[in-house]
Amino acid sequence: MATAMVGIVPSMAHAPGLTSAAGLLAMLEEEAPALKAAALRKLDGVVSDFWAEISEALPDIESLYEDEAFAERQLAALLASKVYFYLGELGDALSYALGAGDLFCVDEASEFVDTLLAKAIDEYCDLHRKRAEAPPESEAPPIDSRLSSLVDRMVESSLGRRAYQMVLGLALESRRLELVERVITLCDAAPGDHEHDASTAAMLAYCSVLFTT
């Protein structure tokens, strides 16, 4: 089993009086889908406390995600993603986060979300760079539509908060010129609070610094 992530210390803050997830894990063995779904919801609420114990049931949780007839399969993916995050398996954590769809909330202020968003952006930009630099005769590497959707949700959230600088960096790294243009235009139309977000001129000056360093 992988080593737990350094600096992540489980606590009992979200599970007063609960000393084990065994009862909830047993519910995953029930036949009724409603009971399985209820178990997933409760486990999601205590995963930071019992991720090691829950990790023993990862095959069951993953099977629920893979069952396309199971209505709460995205919840199973979210739970699996969190367990893999605590195990330090960020590749698997991101894979299941993509499977969780909108249940993976890009606006959540947590180490889990921040870490996986950073990994998603790195992978997204790397794939776009490879596509841009690939010879015309070669086949461009595919980009998972779920990864694109996740990054787009994060971009729209950031633009909605007028946090343009991060979006511009992503746009430049991923060679998305239409997004660069959109960010620069928004700096005048809806100025942000950060120094470089306050005007188009300020953002262009920031771009100049990026290109010369």
Side-chain angles (χ1 to χ4, degrees):
M1 181 179 294
T3 303
M5 293 188 68
V6 175
I8 299 177
V9 180
S11 71
M12 294 301 295
H14 302 296
L18 192 63
T19 59
S20 171
L24 297 176
L25 293 173
M27 291 174 63
L28 295 178
E29 304 297 331
E30 297 288 343
E31 290 294 328
L35 290 177
K36 295 179 187 288
L40 289 173
R41 282 190 289 272
K42 291 182 181 295
L43 287 167
D44 182 61
V46 300
V47 65
S48 62
D49 305 312
F50 301 111
W51 56 267
E53 190 175 359
I54 297 171
S55 70
E56 301 297 330
L58 272 173
D60 294 330
I61 297 168
E62 292 170 345
S63 292
L64 290 175
Y65 167 65
E66 293 163 3
D67 182 0
E68 295 186 0
F70 182 57
E72 299 293 338
R73 59 191 301 265
Q74 287 187 329
L75 181 56
L78 181 65
L79 178 60
S81 177
K82 290 180 179 180
V83 173
Y84 277 119
F85 168 74
Y86 284 110
L87 290 171
E89 299 286 350
L90 297 186
D92 288 328
L94 178 57
S95 178
Y96 279 101
L98 297 180
D102 290 345
L103 291 185
F104 180 83
C105 179
V106 297
D107 294 320
E108 178 185 307
S110 70
E111 186 177 2
F112 165 66
V113 169
D114 290 347
T115 300
L116 293 193
L117 282 180
K119 183 170 179 59
I121 291 170
D122 285 345
E123 292 193 7
Y124 179 84
C125 291
D126 184 57
L127 286 168
H128 272 276
R129 281 196 301 271
K130 289 178 178 177
R131 290 171 68 91
E133 296 168 0
E137 66 277 5
S138 67
E139 184 176 350
I143 298 178
D144 191 327
S145 62
R146 301 173 305 168
L147 177 61
S148 295
S149 176
L150 174 60
V151 171
D152 285 344
R153 284 197 290 128
M154 187 214 60
V155 164
E156 293 304 322
S157 174
S158 297
L159 294 179
R161 290 182 283 106
R162 303 182 184 183
Y164 304 133
Q165 186 173 329
M166 183 279 296
V167 177
L168 180 69
L170 183 152
L172 292 172
E173 285 288 331
S174 60
R175 312 295 201 269
R176 287 185 56 181
L177 298 183
E178 88 290 350
L179 187 54
V180 172
E181 181 180 1
R182 184 181 175 192
V183 169
I184 290 174
T185 301
L186 280 171
C187 286
D188 267 348
D193 295 328
H194 191 277
E195 175 187 358
H196 302 304
D197 299 337
S199 69
T200 293
M203 186 58 78
L204 288 173
Y206 175 65
C207 285
S208 178
V209 171
L210 289 180
F211 285 123
T212 58
T213 56

